[in-house]
């Protein structure tokens, strides 16, 4: 008999894929090792978008080529949440071992739902560890899910279906059920109640206090009013770390209220519940141990790669009766592969499930829970440092007291309306992202646009937070400061040029007659001879000046660069230096020259940043400067 030609997806040449696999691992380890030197984020180019918009491949191409496309079009345009200066939203970084564990899990590729195989036991163990981590009893149950969104939905399903008299699985949702949560609750909780047929209207949004915690009095009144009106309250969702500000609801009070009214207490602890591992929050989060259910993420503050989260349910029977229904083809056998632990589909919505438990299992074994606790505490301490730094920095305003790991602040120099400040801070944030230096996100705090810096990052160091603050100040200055050309009809320009530079020269050099003449008459010394004078202005204030002086053979000298003492540290020097370079180009110069004094090391750094290279040291009794630099335009 002629057998047909059979195909497979396995490689023809196993050594080729082995070599490529080794290369991939080397490349990714290099990538992770050098993260700090890369921009946080880069905008995907038009070419990238074009490549990623091509139609369905009909025939295959060599894997090396496919990998090259990944290296060219995908890897460089990563989201950035693995970077030390990613502070946006609440996202985790992942780890090298987590990455490798994902590879191992995909290699094994077990569908982790039913059967007698290792992945089932690994998941069971991870759930047991999770219960231990949060002080849930041995009798509790749990399930790994994709994210806290699914964990919240799963928990709320159990809470709803626990009202056994209503037989919701058979009859559908009762139209009297009500749920309670604060106005700071994550949107996925509202989505969950919508999906569950409770609807956003009967999800009672309770106002928060100044510190963004649920207003307990308002909650009690609402529950009572609902009962009086014939509704059936069944669940309160408490927050252990809100996504906006990191606020923790008064969980013990919520627990008491739930006891009193016979309600289910669910806690959304997506990231914040992990703070229970720290000395700072252990006590404040102790009530988690008594909650009916908890949703939390492994992929946020525990840095297991996406997606990995967990839901814990105090009452295993209720958990099971909310989801279990085993069709014939999934019934367990006494022996063989079809034996083993209870199918996990009895505890959630999904049937086919990945072996995500492996990366959690390997990560917890690699580091131990103590280290994770220290890292969470480290972020909490860093947030406190940042909050204090913001409070101490002129023109920055802390908008909410730091409660956990989130710092909300804005640039505010006291010279703008609220509307203008909102615009300004949004512009600062967009430029900050485009600069690739750091990536905080934003939120609105009592109508004020806030730069929201979330630190769930095991790679962040204090120096990264310093860099963030400096960048924000420099960008704000760049937006607010306009560089203008010297106006010979404006007496303020004369006086500012003279005052700023006199103070500057007098501080570092010996003032000579030539200096005084050029400061009195800049138009004669610089402009009239083919150079220029520039002034950096913020509104009516003149904050800095510089002059360009023609020194023959297509060369200009950059000189008289001074910044108002009161405007130091705002990055004015850089702004005016860049403007001078642009002006020199416009004047057709080929070479820009600069003499300065090497004792002015901050100035030297500035010149380097502008692109000058140090070409010679000299000391001369006739010149006061001792470093000469130049750049070719
Ligand atoms: C992130 C977050 C969620 C959603 O979790 P996912 O893992 O993104 O699905 C829910 N609640 C809070 C407080 C969160 O921070």
């Amino acid at each position: 008999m002629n057998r047909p030609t059979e195909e497979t997806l396995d490689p023809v040449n196993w050594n080729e894929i082995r070599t490529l696999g080794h290369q991939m691992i080397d490349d990714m380890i290099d990538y992770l090792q050098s993260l700090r030197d890369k921009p946080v984020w880069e905008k995907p180019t038009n070419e990238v978008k074009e490549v990623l918009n091509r139609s369905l491949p009909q025939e295959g191409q060599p894997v090396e080529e496919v990998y090259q496309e990944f290296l060219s079009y995908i890897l460089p345009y990563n989201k950035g949440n693995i970077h030390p200066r990613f502070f946006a939203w609440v996202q985790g970084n992942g780890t090298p071992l987590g990455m490798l564990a994902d590879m191992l899990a995909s290699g094994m590729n077990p569908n982790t739902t039913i059967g007698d195989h290792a992945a089932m036991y690994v998941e069971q163990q991870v759930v047991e560890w999770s219960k231990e981590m949060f002080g849930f009893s041995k009798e509790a149950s749990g399930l790994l899910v994709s994210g806290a969104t699914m964990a919240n939905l799963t928990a709320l399903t159990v809470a709803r279906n626990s009202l056994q008299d209503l037989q919701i699985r058979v009859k559908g949702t009762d139209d009297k059920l009500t749920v309670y949560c604060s106005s700071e609750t994550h949107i996925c909780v509202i989505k969950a109640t919508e999906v569950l047929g409770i609807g956003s209207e009967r999800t009672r949004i309770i106002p928060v206090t100044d510190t963004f915690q649920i207003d307990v009095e308002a909650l009690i009144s609402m529950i009572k009013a609902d009962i009086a009106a014939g509704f059936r309250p069944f669940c309160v969702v408490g927050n252990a770390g809100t996504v906006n500000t990191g606020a923790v609801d008064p969980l013990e009070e919520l627990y008491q209220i739930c006891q009193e009214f016979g309600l289910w207490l669910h806690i959304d602890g997506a990231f914040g519940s992990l703070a229970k591992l720290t000395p700072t929050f252990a006590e404040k989060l102790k009530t988690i141990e008594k909650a009916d259910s908890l949703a939390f993420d492994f992929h946020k503050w525990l840095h297991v790669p996406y997606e990995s989260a967990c839901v814990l349910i105090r009452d295993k029977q209720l958990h099971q009766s909310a989801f279990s229904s085993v069709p014939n083809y999934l019934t367990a056998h006494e022996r063989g592969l079809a034996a083993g632990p209870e199918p996990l589909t009895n505890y959630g919505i999904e049937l086919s499930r990945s072996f995500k438990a492996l990366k959690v299992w390997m990560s917890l074994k690699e580091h131990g829970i103590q280290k994770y606790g220290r890292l969470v505490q480290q972020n909490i301490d860093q947030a406190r440092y940042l909050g204090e730094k913001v409070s101490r920095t002129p023109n920055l305003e802390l908008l909410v007291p730091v409660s956990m790991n989130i710092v909300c602040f804005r640039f505010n120099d006291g010279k703008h309306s609220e509307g203008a400040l909102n615009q300004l801070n949004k512009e600062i944030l967009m430029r900050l992202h485009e600069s690739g230096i750091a990536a905080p996100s934003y939120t609105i705090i009592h109508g004020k646009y806030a730069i929201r810096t979330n630190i769930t990052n095991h790679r962040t160091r204090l120096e990264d937070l310093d860099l963030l603050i400096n960048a924000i100040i420099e960008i704000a200055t760049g937006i607010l400061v306009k560089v203008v050309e010297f106006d010979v009809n404006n007496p303020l320009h004369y006086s500012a040029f003279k005052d700023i530079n006199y103070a500057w020269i007098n501080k570092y050099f010996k003032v000579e007659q030539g200096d005084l003449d050029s400061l009195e008459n800049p138009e004669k010394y610089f402009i009239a001879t083919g150079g220029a004078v520039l002034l950096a202005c913020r509104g009516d204030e003149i904050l800095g000046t510089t002059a360009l002086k023609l020194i023959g053979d297509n060369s200009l000298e950059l000189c008289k660069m001074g910044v108002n003492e009161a405007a130091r540290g705002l990055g004015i020097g850089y702004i005016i230096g860049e403007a001078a370079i642009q002006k020199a180009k416009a004047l057709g110069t080929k070479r820009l020259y600069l003499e300065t004094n090497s004792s002015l090391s901050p100035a030297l750094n500035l010149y380097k940043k502008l692109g000058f290279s140090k070409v010679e040291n000299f000391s001369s009794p006739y010149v006061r400067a001792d470093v000469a630099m130049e750049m070719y335009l």
Side-chain angles (χ1 to χ4, degrees):
M1 175 192 146
N2 249 351
R3 294 187 181 233
T5 318
E6 291 164 317
E7 289 196 298
T8 169
L9 296 176
D10 279 335
V12 176
N13 182 339
W14 284 89
N15 272 331
E16 250 173 45
I17 195 79
R18 184 190 311 278
T19 306
L20 184 65
H22 283 265
Q23 185 62 47
M24 286 173 171
I25 289 183
D26 281 345
D27 290 348
M28 286 314 286
I29 301 279
D30 284 346
Y31 176 74
L32 294 179
Q33 199 180 358
S34 60
L35 274 180
R36 185 170 288 275
D37 308 325
K38 296 188 177 71
V40 177
W41 173 81
E42 265 179 278
K43 185 178 157 56
T45 61
N46 287 335
E47 190 192 3
V48 167
K49 291 180 197 171
E50 186 274 314
V51 169
L52 299 181
N53 197 25
R54 290 179 190 161
S55 56
L56 176 69
Q58 296 297 330
E59 301 297 335
Q61 66 189 100
V63 281
E64 288 79 7
E65 225 175 271
V66 178
Y67 181 55
Q68 277 311 318
E69 290 187 19
F70 165 80
L71 290 179
S72 306
Y73 303 121
I74 299 174
L75 185 60
Y77 307 99
N78 197 359
K79 181 172 188 183
N81 54 280
I82 59 176
H83 194 281
R85 288 185 300 280
F86 183 89
F87 307 123
W89 306 294
V90 181
Q91 301 187 356
N93 306 137
T95 63
L97 187 75
M99 170 186 86
L100 296 172
D102 246 348
M103 183 190 75
L104 302 180
S106 291
M108 289 178 71
N109 198 31
N111 186 341
T112 312
T113 303
I114 55 166
D116 199 7
H117 56 105
M120 297 289 283
Y121 296 99
V122 173
E123 175 150 349
Q124 264 184 3
Q125 187 169 28
V126 168
V127 168
E128 289 307 311
W129 288 348
S130 301
K131 283 152 55 176
E132 219 177 299
M133 207 159 27
F134 289 104
F136 269 60
S137 77
K138 273 270 168 219
E139 288 69 46
S141 61
L143 186 73
L144 298 199
V145 289
S146 53
T149 300
M150 275 305 286
N152 281 319
L153 175 65
T154 307
L156 291 175
T157 308
V158 181
R160 186 199 65 171
N161 292 9
S162 73
L163 306 167
Q164 280 154 338
D165 60 308
L166 296 180
Q167 291 186 279
I168 287 172
R169 287 187 67 175
V170 180
K171 297 183 187 300
T173 311
D174 181 279
D175 66 359
K176 294 286 182 231
L177 297 180
T178 52
V179 184
Y180 304 80
C181 60
S182 88
S183 55
E184 290 291 300
T185 303
H186 196 280
I187 191 68
C188 73
V189 171
I190 318 297
K191 251 192 204 174
T193 62
E194 288 170 5
V195 169
L196 289 172
I198 291 150
S200 52
E201 222 171 76
R202 280 183 284 122
T203 303
R204 310 299 198 198
I205 306 298
I206 310 299
V208 290
T209 61
D210 298 349
T211 48
F212 297 94
Q213 298 168 290
I214 191 166
D215 180 336
V216 172
E217 292 310 316
L219 171 66
I220 295 172
S221 313
M222 190 77 224
I223 293 172
K224 286 182 174 165
D226 278 339
I227 293 171
F231 287 104
R232 182 167 176 185
F234 76 98
C235 176
V236 174
V237 179
N239 288 300
T242 61
V243 73
N244 263 348
T245 69
V248 177
D249 283 334
L251 300 178
E252 188 56 30
E253 289 175 63
L254 295 189
Y255 174 74
Q256 296 302 339
I257 292 166
C258 287
Q259 290 295 103
E260 184 183 339
F261 292 95
L263 311 179
W264 182 285
L265 176 61
H266 171 66
I267 294 182
D268 178 7
F271 70 96
S273 60
L274 275 309
K276 192 171 185 298
L277 302 173
T278 69
T280 312
F281 279 88
E283 201 47 45
K284 208 170 172 185
L285 294 173
K286 198 159 169 54
T287 310
I288 287 177
E289 297 171 10
K290 298 189 281 189
D292 292 297
S293 55
L294 170 72
F296 74 95
D297 278 310
F298 291 111
H299 58 211
K300 285 178 178 169
W301 231 341
L302 294 183
H303 304 292
V304 176
Y306 287 93
E307 303 157 345
S308 49
C310 182
V311 58
L312 294 179
I313 309 278
R314 167 158 312 282
D315 186 324
K316 182 174 177 166
Q317 256 62 53
L318 290 178
H319 190 180
Q320 196 185 38
S321 65
F323 293 107
S324 77
S325 47
V326 179
N328 293 339
Y329 63 91
L330 294 181
T331 48
H333 288 22
E334 302 77 42
R335 299 195 319 279
L337 175 59
E342 192 184 350
L344 294 175
T345 186
N346 280 356
Y347 295 92
I349 297 159
E350 292 167 312
L351 179 64
S352 291
R353 301 171 69 255
S354 72
F355 188 14
K356 56 174 92 58
L358 184 65
K359 56 193 170 188
V360 183
W361 188 85
M362 289 185 86
S363 301
L364 286 169
K365 286 178 80 71
E366 181 191 15
H367 299 295
I369 198 65
Q370 295 294 332
K371 181 166 185 183
Y372 284 106
R374 291 198 300 276
L375 283 167
V376 170
Q377 184 68 50
Q378 179 170 298
N379 285 163
I380 291 170
D381 294 341
Q382 287 168 334
R384 205 170 293 167
Y385 167 87
L386 181 63
E388 281 163 16
K389 186 163 174 117
V390 164
S391 304
R392 273 188 283 108
T393 306
N395 301 332
L396 292 185
E397 180 188 5
L398 189 66
L399 291 174
V400 193
V402 178
S403 70
M404 194 183 271
N405 63 321
I406 298 177
V407 186
C408 295
F409 64 102
R410 66 175 176 176
F411 180 87
N412 181 3
D413 58 4
K415 297 191 167 76
H416 303 274
S417 69
E418 284 298 322
L421 281 176
N422 288 353
Q423 283 299 317
L424 174 61
N425 280 281
K426 183 176 173 192
E427 181 64 26
I428 291 172
L429 185 77
M430 291 189 293
R431 289 194 195 191
L432 186 61
H433 287 181
E434 283 161 356
S435 76
I437 296 172
S441 67
Y442 52 88
T443 191
I444 306 292
I445 303 285
H446 300 312
K448 297 170 182 174
Y449 188 96
I451 297 172
R452 175 184 162 287
T453 305
N454 161 79
I455 317 177
T456 40
N457 197 319
H458 66 86
R459 300 193 167 110
T460 300
R461 303 175 188 155
L462 292 180
E463 71 198 60
D464 293 308
L465 302 174
D466 295 340
L467 211 66
L468 168 73
I469 295 297
N470 291 346
I472 287 174
I473 298 288
E474 285 192 10
I475 290 170
T477 307
I479 295 168
L480 295 174
V481 170
K482 302 270 173 289
V483 176
V484 301
E485 297 224 15
F486 193 90
D487 177 357
V488 294
N489 296 315
N490 188 338
L492 285 178
H493 283 191
Y494 281 95
S495 56
F497 188 77
K498 184 177 159 190
D499 294 347
I500 290 174
N501 284 299
Y502 184 83
W504 200 249
I505 296 169
N506 198 30
K507 186 165 177 185
Y508 295 105
F509 306 110
K510 187 160 87 34
V511 182
E512 291 175 355
Q513 191 56 45
D515 287 320
L516 292 176
D517 291 346
S518 68
L519 296 185
E520 294 280 353
N521 305 298
E523 84 284 14
K524 283 191 198 139
Y525 277 80
F526 306 109
I527 303 168
T529 53
V533 173
L534 304 174
L535 305 150
C537 306
R538 182 174 63 191
D540 298 335
E541 292 169 280
I542 297 171
L543 302 180
T545 72
T546 191
L548 291 165
K549 181 180 178 183
L550 194 69
I551 51 172
D553 63 309
N554 271 333
S555 294
L556 283 170
E557 184 182 357
L558 183 73
C559 53
K560 302 285 178 283
M561 190 144 143
V563 175
N564 200 329
E565 212 41 48
R568 296 281 299 278
L570 295 177
I572 307 284
Y574 186 72
I575 291 168
I576 205 161
E578 276 222 304
I581 293 168
Q582 292 312 317
K583 181 67 190 175
K585 279 186 189 162
L587 289 170
T589 313
K590 293 283 172 279
R591 173 174 167 268
L592 202 55
Y593 179 77
L594 170 75
E595 282 178 7
T596 189
N597 187 312
S598 65
S599 64
L600 303 177
S601 60
L604 286 183
N605 285 339
L606 168 68
Y607 297 133
K608 270 190 202 140
K609 199 169 148 192
L610 284 169
F612 281 98
S613 48
K614 189 166 148 186
V615 288
E616 54 181 292
N617 285 305
F618 61 88
S619 75
S620 145
Y622 309 108
V623 226
R624 291 154 303 159
D626 61 6
V627 180
M629 309 185 200
E630 63 185 349
M631 72 165 86
Y632 289 89
L633 301 175

